[in-house]
Amino acid sequence: MSRSAHPAGPRHGDVLPDGHYSAPPADLNVLDEKVWARTVERDQEGQVRIGGVGVRALAEEFGTPAYFLDEADFRARCRAWREAFGSEADVFYAGKAFLSRAVVRWLTEEGLNLDVCSGGELSTALAGGMPAARIAFHGNNKSTTEIERAVEAGVGRIVVDSFEEIERVAAAARAAGVRQGVQIRVTVGVEAHTHEFIATAHEDQKFGLSLAGGTAAEAVRRTLGHDGLELLGLHSHIGSQIFDMSGFEVSARRVVGLLARIRDEHGVELPEIDLGGGLGIAYTSDDDPQGPAEIAKALREIVGRECEVAGLAVPRISVEPGRAIVGPTAFTLYEVGTVKPLPGLRTYVSVDGGMSDNIRTALYDAEYAVALASRASTAPPMLARVVGKHCESGDIVVRDAYLPADTGPGDLLAVPATGAYCRSMASNYNHTPRPPVVAVADGRARTIVRRETEEDLLRLDVG
Ligand SMILES: *Cc1c(COP(=O)(O)O)cnc(C)c1O
């Protein structure tokens, strides 16, 4: 539910809900298709299903908490991005959103490329069978070992982020006797989050080489000076959970401006630009993200126009959606343990996971929806807060939610849109084993990342 819908006026802290919340939905049993994976539905018994399998059977077989991922939806989203961008552009899935070998196989089969930003992500990408040429390696402080491994593996692009790294990649390419493709990560002075973007103000960050400050142009000069480096293009990434194209418009204009200066100064037209990821998804019914077709059209128009103005051939465009592909495809299933009504305030519903499996609410004030999933209910709505089992009062999964007033211990709750940045950011806080990821398709469910066990955790503890 939207907290931006609050009427103006003083708020009495976070815990006094009266009059500050949008009305409950007319029917709590209805699942808004915007926020749920495509095959999710409520069956005639009232139980939520995904990929044709009911949550009660899933909880029985795989336990809770667990992430259930709709494989058909994941593949459909890959195809939609691929088709929207066509053969003159590339789609790189951002592996940090969620990566496993099964995911890498799906990406490979659906024709996507893959971004990694650590040795661990690179290992997973290669183990899953992604051809190295289709991998791009990111990060503002890649280790020398990571760079050497990436070069030896034949990674298609290393996105260099500092002067030191240009020398390190050049040295690794020399040692391996190869010419390494690189892009330069440029700070364009744009930061975009959700519905707002700020231009010119955001030079103050750790990523990239500054366009305005001239370090990007200097990085181009140094890179071109190394025979072992093949400068393929420029890269920018402006933020996350973005809903409109105006930030991309400014960043594309600035990146193309640098392409034109590079042509004027060095006589080369770089063949690629990467505009990054950050495309938003619907976490709640209030969010209205654009689809890949609209995004591709807008980006093509923006880049085409800017190149025409600059008298440049249109470079090959690439984008890097992470959240927009995997985010909507999964929900987290929890079991309710305790229910505490606080009269005049709200009801705290405690589940068997929390900030160890979804840190986004605590970290970013992220909003989520939630549904009673094991059954339908005709009870009236109650204002609830879904909280975890960790030793932290900020351990909140869903800050503001309406649940049926008869929600109680043993019920299963599903929190949608947890495919991105939940399992990948999960922790072992309170020595909690991390939940499994289960892929569901065509009436079959299979574990793709197994649940950790206490033995796994104890094995790390060598006394
Ligand atoms: C995080 C990141 C992405 C993906 O962001 P999403 O919000 O998941 O789309 C893409 N590119 C780069 C360089 C990133 O750092």
Side-chain angles (χ1 to χ4, degrees), residues 94 96 115 138 185 235 237 240 277-279 320-323 421:
K96 69 183 192 210
D115 274 354
H138 283 272
R185 170 79 178 256
H235 182 285
H237 172 75
S240 60
L279 292 318
E320 304 174 322
R323 184 193 320 267
Y421 305 108

Side-chain angles (χ1 to χ4, degrees), residues 5-180:
H6 298 158
R11 290 192 63 196
H12 308 277
D14 196 32
V15 291
L16 290 178
D18 279 355
H20 287 265
Y21 290 84
S22 47
D27 183 350
L28 287 174
N29 297 308
V30 172
L31 303 170
D32 182 348
E33 61 181 29
K34 257 203 301 192
V35 301
W36 294 88
R38 265 170 235 197
T39 68
V40 171
E41 59 182 359
R42 203 179 277 280
D43 66 17
Q44 281 173 345
E45 283 172 35
Q47 176 187 200
V48 171
R49 292 177 169 269
I50 178 169
V53 189
V55 291
R56 291 201 300 262
L58 291 172
E60 183 80 20
E61 183 173 354
F62 300 98
T64 55
Y67 309 98
F68 292 99
L69 190 156
D70 182 339
E71 178 181 342
D73 192 13
F74 187 99
R75 287 180 180 273
R77 285 173 194 277
C78 289
R79 281 198 289 277
W81 279 86
R82 195 69 225 95
E83 280 159 21
F85 279 84
S87 58
E88 311 92 77
D90 293 303
V91 181
F92 285 77
Y93 170 77
K96 69 183 192 210
F98 172 64
L99 200 63
S100 77
R101 285 187 295 176
V103 162
V104 175
R105 272 197 307 279
W106 302 338
L107 294 167
T108 308
E109 287 166 11
E110 301 298 344
L112 269 66
N113 298 350
L114 177 57
D115 274 354
V116 300
C117 58
S118 70
E121 289 181 5
L122 177 61
S123 296
T124 307
L126 295 172
M130 176 61 71
R134 284 162 60 185
I135 298 174
F137 201 124
H138 283 272
N140 68 302
N141 188 19
K142 309 167 190 78
S143 73
T144 307
T145 309
E146 287 172 328
I147 290 169
E148 287 167 358
R149 276 177 54 202
V151 170
E152 279 157 23
V155 156
R157 285 157 194 78
I158 295 181
V159 183
V160 295
D161 194 286
S162 64
F163 292 148
E164 291 94 331
E165 198 172 272
I166 293 168
E167 303 311 318
R168 288 175 193 153
V169 176
R174 205 177 306 123
V178 297
R179 192 143 191 262
Q180 176 62 50

Side-chain angles (χ1 to χ4, degrees), residues 336 339 347 349 372 375 377 379 382 403-409 411-413:
V336 174
V339 175
T347 297
V349 176
L372 175 58
R375 62 186 173 91
S377 168
M382 68 172 174
L403 282 169
D406 63 352
T407 302
D411 279 330
L412 299 173
L413 299 186

